[in-house]
Amino acid sequence: MASRVLWPVLLACVSPVLMYPSGAPGCSNGGPSDFSPSHGTTVNDPSLPYTVNATKSGKDWTVTIRADNSYFKGFLLRAMPMNSSETVTGSYVTIPTDTRNCSATDATHTSADTNHTSLTFVWRQSDAMSGDVYFKATIVHTKSTDYKITTSLPPTIVPDPECGSTKGCQSDCNTGTCSYQVTWKRSGDLVRFEFQQLLGTGNKYQAVGLSNDSLMGNDSVMICKSSAGVASFEQGTNSPSPGSYYAPLRNPNDVRTIETSQADGVIKCVVERPITSNDSNVFPLTESWYLLHAMGPVVPGGYVVKHTATTSTQNKVDFLTANQPPPPSGIGRDPDCGVSKGCQFSCSGDSCSYLLTWQVRDDLVRFEMMEALSGNNYQAMGFSSDNKMGDDSVMACKLNGGSASFELGFNTGKSYSSIPDLTGTGVSVIETSYTSGVVRCVIDRTINSTNNQVFSLTRNWYLLRASGPVSGGSLSTHRSKTSSSSTVDFLSASLVTEAEADLLMVKLHGSFMMIAWVMFSSIGIVTARFFKGGWEGKTLGGIKVWFQIHRTCMVSVFILTIAAFVIIFIDVGEYREVAVSDDRDYLRYHPVLGIVVTALTVINPIMSLFRCGPDDKRRPIFNIAHFLVGTGAHILAAITVLFGMNIDRSNVSMDASYVMYAYMATFVAIELAFELQRICEKSFNSSNDVAIEMKSTSEKSEKSIQFEKRPAIKKETFLYIHMLLMIAFCVAMVVIVITS
């Protein structure tokens, strides 16, 4: 009889320490709305290293529960409607070992003795359900330890709708989402400040300083920080020196903490401070102050250290009104780069022109692509087995008609094609936005892919980056491209540097064309046109001097032009249009003009092989044709060289263009001067002939025809000056091209 009485009592005493080997007791028919397990005094600890991730492909959701550098024994997983008014309908189609589905929406463990590090489920949404779902889970290390309630939704900070109307605000929400947000609002004699910041990994802090200038030093500081999984608020001050250090105030007067929390990946602090404080280190808000904002790490012991990101308002802020400082423009450095994220970027100071980041999240990698763009343009990143374009998996973030969008694609050889349907690719778009001149795309990509055009990230790849125009909604040929200096491990938090662009072939191409047309052609043309009567009948190798100079120059033009054409064709590999900025479409004609110039360069010497004799009646026809082809090639070559200097890929300083303009003006001036001199000389010689013929032979004394002698400065001297000028222009441009 005693045993019958004691047995239920013993069971009641023992049952609280059991781990429910058949799973969570609330796992049936949707279970209770409260996800807190009945584990006595244990509490929800958001800092535990447990995550839930879900990706959708068609109607199938792949859900992964994961422990980073830890394990868990128990869990409750549930599909939840994104729209609370909708009923979730579907079923689990893949269930891992030691787990079970206890309803259409719930799954749990079946053993209390298994240490799980990662579990992956596939839940199929029914056709009757039109909206999306997310997944919520309670994850338990052991029954006697704390647990974590988390969801598959990414941590977010919602932009405060009162910003600018009833609240003043400082945030980076202009980039599409917020990584931090600080608001302030007056209420009677108090001002309430609210701090929010994405936690990410590690312990972090966010600080606001009130300063009399835009530099750190002698500031009143408020800090919201996370340390050992606990959020806290701290009031402090910076010492007066510019290289100041921060010191907390142990008992700041009148500053009251309303709330501190750390949940769903967001640190939050709410404090109230009086408009006028009795503490001199708590600056009065009756005055306007510069707002300094900083973020950085918290080291063990809860101490804040030097910030990794800082900004300052351009003007002082009135904290008693809803006036807010202008949002930071452009792209700021990501403090997680090299810590929890892999990154490639181009930054000067704290401002970046583009930023690519990647971060492992369970069996996914989240990519973020940002670039300062305008018009219709794109930024693309490719995964390649080498550092050249061809057979690459491509992701592009593009701006078209003021709207941002994402595109997945593949390069087959040199040809790009998009993949319009993301189903089955393992790629899902999280966000696209265009705000304040910055286009942003956030994408999740599975580590392992079964699509042969979406490369698996278990292997290292070269990172190719390109940018160019969008035409008709499609990506056009890039105007610039770079490659990483080595292969990249996209599962690590590495900082990737661009390999220096190999512009050797481009520089050789440009240099050869400049030497050919700025120097040799300019000298050869002027010599043949104006100096056939020079050098007083002297010869060079049995041939008139002018013809030797002309032929040598034009043969050099032929050789250098053909060499430049072959070099650039080898570099590009095929005929390809030049990608240029929207306001410089005329530069697109550079390849066509180059082909025309090369053709004329080949035609002219061929014509010379069929040249008539000097006394042939058809010789004038040849002379005209030879002149037109040669002059036309020279003019077109000058334009082509000028266009080539301004193409983005050439990366040539504008100084080269200025030298080219000076060359053109000088060459035209020299041509006009020689032409005028020839006309005057012809007229002068004609007058002399008439005067001499009118004299008798006896009258033609040596004294009377002194004017027929050559001038003291020989005509050839001006040709030598012309040669020196052309050589100087050529050398200047080649040096600029080589050193750019």
Side-chain angles (χ1 to χ4, degrees), residues 5-43:
V5 175
L6 292 174
W7 182 248
V9 175
L10 290 173
L11 284 178
C13 294
V14 172
S15 61
V17 298
L18 298 178
M19 175 51 86
Y20 299 116
S22 61
C27 181
S28 62
N29 299 321
S33 58
D34 185 4
F35 275 71
S36 302
S38 301
H39 288 179
T41 59
T42 59
V43 297

Side-chain angles (χ1 to χ4, degrees), residues 299-600:
V299 297
Y303 300 105
V304 302
V305 295
K306 184 175 176 59
H307 52 260
T308 55
T310 180
T311 60
S312 170
T313 56
Q314 296 180 351
N315 302 298
K316 290 186 176 181
V317 177
D318 180 0
F319 290 95
L320 301 184
T321 69
N323 295 330
Q324 54 181 328
S329 59
I331 304 169
R333 289 181 179 269
D334 192 326
D336 290 330
C337 284
V339 180
S340 61
K341 294 180 180 179
C343 299
Q344 178 175 296
F345 49 78
S346 176
C347 300
S348 177
D350 290 328
S351 179
C352 307
S353 59
Y354 81 85
L355 176 65
L356 302 174
T357 72
W358 50 92
Q359 184 179 39
V360 177
R361 297 190 172 197
D362 301 323
D363 59 347
L364 301 169
V365 177
R366 173 160 292 185
F367 289 88
E368 184 173 356
M369 308 171 66
M370 300 176 69
E371 185 170 9
L373 293 176
S374 61
N376 297 326
N377 289 284
Y378 70 86
Q379 175 181 214
M381 60 185 301
F383 305 84
S384 179
S385 58
D386 55 26
N387 59 0
K388 297 180 180 179
M389 179 179 175
D391 300 325
D392 319 309
S393 178
V394 180
M395 299 191 300
C397 186
K398 62 183 182 179
L399 177 66
N400 187 39
S403 298
S405 60
F406 172 78
E407 186 173 296
L408 186 66
F410 189 81
N411 290 330
T412 303
K414 302 291 184 179
S415 178
Y416 168 81
S417 58
S418 64
I419 303 174
D421 187 2
L422 299 184
T423 303
T425 63
V427 177
S428 56
V429 180
I430 306 302
E431 177 190 337
T432 59
S433 63
Y434 180 61
T435 309
S436 300
V438 176
V439 63
R440 179 173 183 259
C441 296
V442 182
I443 311 99
D444 279 347
R445 178 170 177 153
T446 54
I447 293 176
N448 291 291
S449 174
T450 58
N451 189 312
N452 58 8
Q453 292 188 329
V454 182
F455 296 165
S456 293
L457 301 178
T458 52
R459 173 183 167 183
N460 293 358
W461 304 95
Y462 281 95
L463 193 164
L464 309 182
R465 180 188 170 274
S467 60
V470 175
S471 178
S474 301
L475 308 189
S476 297
T477 304
H478 51 260
R479 69 170 62 94
S480 65
K481 67 173 182 177
T482 59
S483 168
S484 58
S485 54
S486 60
T487 57
V488 178
D489 179 3
F490 289 96
L491 304 184
S492 69
S494 56
L495 293 177
V496 177
T497 57
E498 296 179 354
E500 291 189 8
D502 185 5
L503 298 177
L504 175 62
M505 302 289 268
V506 174
K507 291 182 177 182
L508 284 175
H509 168 78
S511 298
F512 283 2
M513 292 297 280
M514 291 172 190
I515 296 171
W517 295 98
V518 173
M519 186 173 74
F520 284 121
S521 179
S522 299
I523 295 172
I525 287 174
V526 167
T527 303
R529 190 168 299 168
F530 302 108
F531 290 89
K532 289 181 179 178
W535 295 277
E536 299 180 335
K538 293 180 180 179
T539 61
L540 190 62
I543 300 175
K544 291 183 178 181
V545 175
W546 77 266
F547 188 74
Q548 284 284 37
I549 295 174
H550 174 73
R551 184 170 61 180
T552 301
C553 287
M554 302 322 290
V555 169
S556 300
V557 169
F558 177 85
I559 294 172
L560 289 168
T561 301
I562 296 302
F565 181 84
V566 172
I567 285 171
I568 202 64
F569 189 84
I570 292 174
D571 183 56
V572 177
E574 60 184 356
Y575 174 80
R576 184 181 299 173
E577 288 187 1
V578 175
V580 297
S581 303
D582 293 338
D583 59 344
R584 299 190 298 171
D585 284 341
Y586 59 90
L587 297 181
R588 297 180 188 276
Y589 296 106
H590 175 79
V592 175
L593 290 174
I595 292 172
V596 173
V597 168
T598 304
L600 294 176

Side-chain angles (χ1 to χ4, degrees), residues 17-336:
V17 298
L18 298 178
M19 175 51 86
Y20 299 116
S22 61
C27 181
S28 62
N29 299 321
S33 58
D34 185 4
F35 275 71
S36 302
S38 301
H39 288 179
T41 59
T42 59
V43 297
N44 179 27
D45 183 358
S47 67
L48 292 175
Y50 302 143
T51 56
V52 176
N53 186 271
T55 58
K56 185 180 182 182
S57 178
K59 289 290 183 178
D60 287 352
W61 290 85
T62 301
V63 188
T64 301
I65 304 174
R66 179 173 174 173
D68 292 329
N69 300 317
S70 182
Y71 66 87
F72 58 93
K73 289 182 176 293
F75 71 93
L76 168 63
L77 176 68
R78 180 173 301 157
M80 308 286 290
M82 293 292 289
N83 185 348
S84 59
S85 63
E86 191 169 13
T87 301
V88 177
T89 56
S91 61
Y92 286 92
V93 295
T94 299
I95 300 290
T97 305
D98 293 330
T99 69
R100 68 185 179 93
N101 61 309
C102 45
S103 72
T105 59
D106 290 10
T108 189
H109 56 276
T110 58
S111 171
D113 299 323
T114 304
N115 295 340
H116 301 288
T117 57
S118 180
L119 293 173
T120 300
F121 303 79
V122 176
W123 186 83
R124 182 165 297 162
Q125 185 173 325
S126 70
D127 294 334
M129 185 177 179
S130 58
D132 282 339
V133 301
Y134 70 95
F135 291 83
K136 187 172 182 179
T138 300
I139 308 170
V140 182
H141 183 65
T142 63
K143 183 176 180 181
S144 60
T145 59
D146 293 339
Y147 57 89
K148 181 178 181 179
I149 299 176
T150 186
T151 72
S152 61
L153 296 174
T156 58
I157 298 174
V158 179
D160 196 315
E162 295 184 55
C163 284
S165 57
T166 62
K167 291 181 179 180
C169 300
Q170 168 77 23
S171 72
D172 63 351
C173 298
N174 63 302
T175 59
T177 59
C178 312
S179 65
Y180 76 88
Q181 182 173 240
V182 181
T183 70
W184 55 90
K185 183 178 182 180
R186 179 178 181 174
S187 177
D189 294 332
L190 301 173
V191 176
R192 174 172 289 208
F193 285 83
E194 182 172 327
F195 298 77
Q196 294 183 81
Q197 180 188 10
L198 294 183
L199 177 60
T201 58
N203 296 320
K204 297 181 179 179
Y205 72 85
Q206 176 179 202
V208 166
L210 309 184
S211 178
N212 199 40
D213 54 28
S214 59
L215 302 175
M216 182 178 176
N218 198 26
D219 318 310
S220 177
V221 182
M222 296 181 288
I223 290 183
C224 181
K225 65 179 182 179
S226 169
S227 180
V230 178
S232 62
F233 174 79
E234 206 171 74
Q235 180 78 36
T237 182
N238 289 331
S239 64
S241 61
S244 59
Y245 64 92
Y246 165 80
L249 301 177
R250 297 303 177 189
N251 297 295
N253 293 332
D254 308 325
V255 178
R256 186 164 66 98
T257 302
I258 306 299
E259 176 190 344
T260 57
S261 64
Q262 181 176 315
D264 297 327
V266 177
I267 313 166
K268 183 179 180 181
C269 296
V270 181
V271 298
E272 286 184 344
R273 58 182 287 174
I275 294 176
T276 303
S277 174
N278 295 323
D279 192 324
S280 61
N281 289 312
V282 181
F283 292 175
L285 300 179
T286 51
E287 299 180 33
S288 296
W289 304 95
Y290 283 95
L291 189 156
L292 310 182
H293 180 267
M295 295 187 291
V298 177
V299 297
Y303 300 105
V304 302
V305 295
K306 184 175 176 59
H307 52 260
T308 55
T310 180
T311 60
S312 170
T313 56
Q314 296 180 351
N315 302 298
K316 290 186 176 181
V317 177
D318 180 0
F319 290 95
L320 301 184
T321 69
N323 295 330
Q324 54 181 328
S329 59
I331 304 169
R333 289 181 179 269
D334 192 326
D336 290 330

Side-chain angles (χ1 to χ4, degrees), residues 521-532 534-535 665-683 713-726:
S521 179
S522 299
I523 295 172
I525 287 174
V526 167
T527 303
R529 190 168 299 168
F530 302 108
F531 290 89
K532 289 181 179 178
W535 295 277
T666 302
F667 183 80
V668 171
I670 289 173
E671 282 256 325
L672 290 174
F674 281 142
E675 190 65 42
L676 288 173
Q677 189 270 342
R678 183 168 65 176
I679 293 172
C680 293
E681 186 181 60
K682 185 176 181 181
S683 175
I713 300 178
K714 293 185 177 182
K715 181 180 178 180
E716 292 84 348
T717 304
F718 296 103
L719 177 62
Y720 301 146
I721 295 173
H722 169 72
M723 289 180 177
L724 290 175
L725 287 173
M726 297 303 103

